[in-house]
Amino acid sequence: MHTGVRKVTAQTAEQLSEKIRGTLDRPIVLIGMMGAGKSKLGRMLAKVLDIPFYDSDVEIEQSAGCSVSEIFEKLGEPAFRAAEARVFARLVGQGVAVIASGGGAVMTPSVADLVFNQTLALWVRAELDVMVDRNSRHDNRPLLKGKDARQVLTDLMAVRYPVYSRAHMTVESQEGPATDTLYQAISAIADHLDSVGVSR
Ligand code: S3P
C-alpha cells in the first residue's frame, strides 16, 4: 500500500494521469470517513482522468426520490444500507469510473466484497480535527445529528479503520490546496497500477 508522500508537480501528475487512462480497467472507489473529502477529491480525479464520476449518496437519493436524511428518518439505517448495496452493485458493474462512497458503505459485507475485489479502493484519510471542522459546516449527516461529532467520529474510526485499511491505496486529505491531495492521489494510483501491472 502506498501513502503517496513524495512531492508531485502538475506536469508529473498529467503524465501519470495519461498512464492511468491507458491502464485503468475498473472503477476507482474512494472510501473513508464523513468529512474526509471523498466527494470533492473524487470529482476532481474523474475530471482529470476524463471518466464518469458518481457519488453513491447522490445515486441513492435519485433512486429514492428523497434525501439521505429523510431515508434514515422515515425508513431507518438498514433500509439505507440495502439501497446503498444495490447502488454499488449497479455502479461497479458499469466499469471504469470514479465512485465516492458514503463513509459506512464498506461496512456492509457485500459492498466490501465488491469494492476490495473488483475495484481499486483509495482510502481518503483526514485528521480528526479536520473532519470535525468540516462536518460542523453541514447538518446533512444523520449519524451526527444532535450528537457530539468528535465522539461519534472517534467511535466510528475505531470500528471502520480496520476495514478501510484493506484499501489498495491511501491518500492524506490535506488542509492546503485541493490539487496537492489530487496529485498525491494520482501518484498513489499510478504506483499501484505499476505494482500490479505484471500480474494482470
Ligand atoms: C455515512 C456517511 C454519509 C452517508 C450517510 C452515512 C456513514 O456519506 O452515506 O450519512 O455511515 O458514515 P459521506 O461519507 O459522504 O458523508
Side-chain angles (χ1 to χ4, degrees), residues 34 38 57 68 72 80-81 84 102-104 141-143 160:
M34 299 173 257
K38 293 165 291 188
D57 285 343
V68 167
F72 266 78
F80 174 79
R81 297 300 172 196
E84 190 168 53
R141 281 157 172 141
L143 294 179
R160 292 180 176 181

Side-chain angles (χ1 to χ4, degrees), residues 102-139:
V106 289
M107 302 310 290
T108 300
S110 68
V111 177
D113 270 359
L114 278 177
V115 169
F116 297 122
N117 296 320
Q118 296 188 35
T119 81
L120 293 185
L122 174 63
W123 179 9
V124 184
R125 292 180 60 126
E127 295 290 332
L128 177 61
D129 284 345
V130 172
M131 296 191 289
V132 170
D133 181 54
R134 288 185 187 153
N135 281 303
S136 71
R137 294 186 224 140
H138 306 275
D139 68 344

Side-chain angles (χ1 to χ4, degrees), residues 174-190:
Q174 318 278 351
E175 270 287 65
T179 46
D180 283 358
T181 307
L182 173 67
Y183 295 166
Q184 293 299 335
I186 290 168
S187 168
I189 295 163

Side-chain angles (χ1 to χ4, degrees), residues 30 37-45 53 55 100 178:
L30 274 51
K38 293 165 291 188
S39 298
K40 183 173 181 184
L41 175 62
R43 211 169 283 115
M44 293 172 77
L45 191 55
F53 171 71
D55 183 313

